[in-house]
Amino acid sequence: MIACLALFMGSIIGSFLNVIIYRIPRDISIVSPRSFCPHCKIKIPFYRNIPIISYFIQKGQCAECLKHISLIYPAVEIISSLSMMVIWYAFPSIEGILFYWMFCHLLVLSVIDNEWLQIPLSIIISMSLGLIIYYLINISEYMFPLLGIITGLGFILFVYGITWLIYRKNTLGFGDFQLIAILGGWLGQINIFFVLFLSSFLALIAFTIISYSKGYNRSRQLPFVPYLSLASIMIYYINM
C-alpha cells in the first residue's frame, strides 16, 4: 500500500516536472494555462492527463492532432515515481526530502541542458532554497556545505583555467559553476571531488562515442549537467 502511494505521488510530481521542463526554457508560466499539447496547443482535459497511463493508452499520440508525443514525458514520470518509492524506504527522514528535492531538480536540469544547452537560474535558486532550509534546520552542520562549496568551486575553477589555456575557449558555462557550488554544499568537501572526476569521465566516454559515430568535431558542445547529475546520485548512494 505504501509503495503504491509513493509511486502515485511520484508520478504526479513527475507530471509537474514535465511542465517545468517544457515551459521554463520557453519563458511560459508554470501556473497557467492548463496543460496543452506541444504541437496543436489544445488544452488537455484532466481525464486524458493521467501520469504515465494516458501516454500509453493514447499510444504516445495527442488525442486531437495525433502527432507523436516525446517519450521524455512518460520517462520523467516513471523516473520520478520509482525514485519516490526508493527514497520512501531508504531515507525515512528529512534527509530523504532533501534528496528527492535535489533529485527532481537535477532531473529537470538534465533534460533542459540536453535539449537547450542552458541551466535556468530559477531552477538553481529553487535548489539553493531547499539546501538553505535544510541547513537552517540542521544548523550545527553549517561547515559541511560551506567547505563543500569552496572545494567544488576551487577545484572546477582550477580545471577551467587549465582547459582555457589549452583550448582558448570557455569549456563550462556560468550555470555549471552555480550548480557545482550547490552540489558541493549538498554532498560535502570530499564527495564533490569524486563527483567532478566521475562526471568528467562519463562526459569523456560520451564524447568519444559521439565522435566515433558522428565524426570528431572539436567545437561540438556537450551538455555537462546530465553527467554531473548522474555522478552526484551515484556518489550519494555509494556513501549513504
Side-chain angles (χ1 to χ4, degrees):
M1 182 64 183
I2 294 178
C4 291
L5 179 60
L7 289 170
F8 175 70
M9 290 176 59
S11 66
I12 292 176
I13 293 173
S15 181
F16 179 66
L17 297 182
N18 278 322
V19 172
I20 296 174
I21 290 169
Y22 181 83
R23 298 191 183 194
I24 291 293
R26 294 173 173 83
D27 199 25
I28 303 173
S29 170
I30 62 173
V31 178
S32 64
R34 198 175 68 237
S35 296
F36 56 86
C37 171
H39 302 293
C40 64
K41 310 303 180 184
I42 294 178
K43 292 180 181 178
I44 303 172
F46 73 92
Y47 56 85
R48 287 181 181 164
N49 199 25
I50 304 171
I52 304 174
I53 297 173
S54 292
Y55 183 89
F56 293 102
I57 289 177
Q58 296 173 188
K59 299 178 181 179
Q61 297 177 321
C62 170
E64 299 293 337
C65 66
L66 301 181
K67 288 189 176 179
H68 176 70
I69 304 297
S70 174
L71 271 170
I72 290 295
Y73 289 90
V76 167
E77 292 168 354
I78 291 171
I79 291 171
S80 174
S81 185
L82 292 176
S83 63
M84 169 69 85
M85 185 181 67
V86 171
I87 292 166
W88 194 298
Y89 288 102
F91 306 103
S93 64
I94 191 173
E95 183 183 356
I97 296 175
L98 177 64
F99 177 79
Y100 190 67
W101 179 265
M102 302 299 280
F103 180 90
C104 288
H105 284 74
L106 289 173
L107 179 58
V108 167
L109 287 177
S110 295
V111 178
I112 291 177
D113 191 40
N114 187 65
E115 182 178 353
W116 296 81
L117 290 174
Q118 64 175 246
I119 301 175
L121 180 60
S122 57
I123 308 298
I124 294 293
I125 292 173
S126 181
M127 291 182 77
S128 302
L129 288 175
L131 204 59
I132 290 170
I133 292 171
Y134 176 80
Y135 283 110
L136 284 176
I137 297 173
N138 298 274
I139 193 67
S140 61
E141 301 180 17
Y142 73 95
M143 286 302 295
F144 181 84
L146 185 60
L147 290 174
I149 291 170
I150 294 172
T151 302
L153 282 179
F155 180 76
I156 203 65
L157 282 171
F158 172 76
V159 173
Y160 177 84
I162 296 297
T163 54
W164 188 87
L165 289 173
I166 296 173
Y167 298 106
R168 295 291 178 178
K169 67 175 184 178
N170 294 333
T171 53
L172 288 172
F174 185 57
D176 292 311
F177 287 100
Q178 294 173 326
L179 181 57
I180 289 167
I182 293 172
L183 291 176
W186 176 40
L187 299 170
Q189 185 178 18
I190 303 300
N191 288 335
I192 193 62
F193 268 119
F194 292 112
V195 166
L196 292 173
F197 174 79
L198 180 58
S199 59
S200 299
F201 180 70
L202 293 173
L204 179 61
I205 292 175
F207 185 81
T208 302
I209 294 173
I210 293 171
S211 297
Y212 180 78
S213 60
K214 297 183 178 180
Y216 176 73
N217 183 353
R218 183 176 178 178
S219 61
R220 176 181 284 117
Q221 290 183 296
L222 188 69
F224 189 50
V225 174
Y227 309 102
L228 199 57
S229 300
L230 180 59
S232 298
I233 301 303
M234 291 172 65
I235 296 299
Y236 189 92
Y237 265 104
I238 289 172
N239 289 276
M240 63 177 282

